[in-house]
Structures are given as C-alpha cells and as structure tokens.
Amino acid sequence: MIELKNISKVYNKSKSNEVNALQNIDLKIEAGSMLAIMGPSGSGKSTLLNILGCLDVASAGTYKLNGQELQSLSRGKLAAVRNQHFGFVVQDFALIEDYTVMKNVEIPLHYSKNKVNKKEKTLALLDMLGMKEKASEYVYNLSGGQRQRVAIARALINNPDIILADEPTGALDQKTGEQVLAIFKKIHKEQNKTVLIVTHDEKIAKQCEGIINIVDGKIVKKSY
Ligand SMILES: Nc1ncnc2c1ncn2[C@@H]1O[C@H](COP(=O)(O)OP(=O)(O)OP(=O)(O)O)[C@@H](O)[C@H]1O
Ligand SMILES: [Mg+2]
C-alpha cells in the first residue's frame, strides 16, 4: 500500500527559477493495482514516479510504503527500500548497448543482497518474456519491442512488488506497444504486482484499472 499525504516537490528552491513540480499530492494506491498516470508534458508525472520509486525525495509531505514512513530515511536506507520493492522501466529502455541481453538483465543483482542463481533466474525471466533465444545477443542487434522486453526482465530480476513504468510504450509503434502492455497486464494478473504506467496513450490507459490525471503538479482526477 502506497500512501502519499500532502506531497510537494520544488526544484531549484531558493533560486529565481523555482519550479513547483508537485503540489499537495494526496494519493492512496492499494497493493496489486494497475493504474495509468496521465497528464500534459511538464505536469509532474516523472517527478511523481521518481518520488514513489525512491529515486528522489519530496520537498514536503509524507510517504508511507506498507505503513513505513520513508521521508525521513537516510539515502542508504532509501536505496535499500528502492532495491527491495521497485522495478523501473523507461521509454528509451536505458540498456547498455554493447552488453548481451543476459548481462543487462543481471545488472540489478550486483546492487542487491539477493543471493540467487543468477543465470537460472535470468533465463527464466527471459523465457517468460519470449526472449530466451536472444539471451546471448547484443542489445544493439535488437528491435525496440525486444529491447523493452529486456528492460522489463531487468526490472523484474530482484522480484519487486511494484513496477514503475515511465512511458514504456512511448518509443514503440502501436502494435509493439500493445504487446508490451500485455506483458505488464500478465505480470500484474499472474504475480499480483502493483503496476503504475505513465502514458500519453488513451488506449493504453483504458486497459488499466484506473487513471490518475495530473495537471500542473496537481491531481485533478482519479478514477479507480
Ligand atoms: N531536475 C529538475 N530540475 C529542475 N526542474 C525540473 C527537474 N525535473 C523536472 N523539472 C521540472 O518539473 C516539472 C515537472 O517535470 P516532469 O519531468 O515531472 O514532467 P512530466 O509530466 O514527466 O513531463 P513529460 O510528459 O514531458 O515527461 C517541469 O516543469 C520540469 O521542467
Ligand atoms: Mg516525464
């Protein structure tokens, strides 16, 4: 369960170009939900996702994850929460081009205490995503849809309970985007993971269980 109370984010505080990226955000998200986050460019969607995923901290307000208050945690403790609970997927995949598929997926394991059979776990995930045959392929030889599957495998390798995806279909054509969304739906349904997807695509958003609309750093509508 995610609970945000009165969350604000100010960039460039005390400078002349101060930006109020988020203002007084109240939000509750039940574990196991699949929601879309929509809003115009610059409205604060990525800022919200970064705060949720403990990549950044709010300027004010409280953030509780499964009852634990996060806003006063040290950077190190916050990083531990991030590694334990969150998997990230972004629009441009953020893969290392001259690493193999396998090596890219294993990257987060270097930062976690998760002692698993790396190779076995990576191959099982790639298999689930239809990418097992490409395990030894270099990323530069892959299509956009294949790259996003690799990025999803990497997001899942530490077995997070929450997937945060920032325009994951933004760089893909409609059909490939639909296929990637189908993967998120499957993960959500079969593994009961919370999935939050920032998207500009109504068709994608409509397939989620609800939509959070943000305008100018404020939540203007919630439908779930
Ligand atoms: N690191 C930063 N420093 C200063 N301002 C920032 C920073 N990151 C974002 N902003 C500003 O905060 C506001 C919200 O940005 P954010 O990236 O969250 O928007 P967004 O809704 O994700 O937009 P887009 O759809 O274009 O990705 C914008 O005005 C942006 O310029
Ligand atoms: Mg953004």
Side-chain angles (χ1 to χ4, degrees):
M1 170 85 138
I2 288 170
E3 290 171 277
L4 300 185
K5 264 214 186 97
N6 223 3
I7 287 284
S8 297
K9 178 69 184 180
V10 186
Y11 290 113
N12 305 327
K13 213 171 182 170
S14 72
K15 287 194 200 145
S16 56
N17 54 345
E18 189 171 288
V19 180
N20 290 299
L22 293 176
Q23 298 178 61
N24 311 107
I25 299 282
D26 289 324
L27 192 60
K28 270 190 193 174
I29 300 172
E30 300 280 349
S33 317
M34 177 159 177
L35 302 175
I37 300 171
M38 300 192 83
S41 180
S43 58
K45 304 179 299 295
S46 296
T47 300
L48 176 62
L49 224 57
N50 289 344
I51 290 172
L52 288 174
C54 305
L55 287 168
D56 200 357
V57 288
S59 309
T62 57
Y63 176 8
K64 272 194 214 170
L65 179 64
N66 304 330
Q68 184 191 10
E69 300 237 4
L70 300 186
Q71 69 279 353
S72 51
L73 292 187
S74 66
R75 277 168 157 272
K77 289 218 167 98
L78 211 55
V81 171
R82 180 167 70 232
N83 290 333
Q84 189 187 346
H85 293 283
F86 294 96
F88 298 88
V89 178
V90 295
Q91 177 171 3
D92 64 0
F93 324 121
L95 298 168
I96 299 176
E97 288 280 311
D98 58 357
Y99 275 17
T100 62
V101 164
M102 198 77 190
K103 212 169 160 192
N104 266 283
V105 176
E106 285 172 354
I107 291 171
L109 290 175
H110 304 315
Y111 303 98
S112 94
K113 289 186 197 118
N114 232 334
K115 289 283 166 257
V116 292
N117 184 333
K118 265 207 248 180
K119 197 171 172 197
E120 202 175 294
K121 181 147 195 217
T122 305
L123 285 174
L125 271 176
L126 288 172
D127 196 20
M128 196 237 331
L129 296 167
M131 287 293 293
K132 198 174 175 186
E133 285 69 42
K134 298 281 182 191
S136 307
E137 192 61 81
Y138 286 92
V139 167
Y140 55 70
N141 286 327
L142 301 180
S143 69
Q146 289 170 336
R147 281 165 196 237
Q148 199 56 300
R149 283 164 197 262
V150 176
I152 293 170
R154 182 187 54 188
L156 292 173
I157 194 82
N158 275 329
N159 196 26
D161 34 41
I162 305 165
I163 309 292
L164 301 175
D166 200 345
E167 297 189 48
T169 64
L172 306 174
D173 60 73
Q174 189 69 37
K175 186 166 162 252
T176 312
E178 287 288 341
Q179 289 166 353
V180 164
L181 186 76
I183 292 170
F184 285 115
K185 281 164 86 173
K186 182 178 147 101
I187 294 164
H188 161 66
K189 213 171 156 196
E190 292 177 4
Q191 303 179 24
N192 199 34
K193 292 192 191 291
T194 307
V195 179
L196 304 179
I197 300 182
V198 170
T199 182
H200 288 286
D201 187 337
E202 286 279 353
K203 277 195 197 142
I204 299 275
K206 279 193 183 132
Q207 295 184 59
C208 297
E209 294 163 350
I211 303 176
I212 298 164
N213 287 97
I214 301 186
V215 176
D216 288 338
K218 298 186 187 109
I219 294 180
V220 294
K221 197 175 164 204
K222 269 182 270 190
S223 61
Y224 60 94

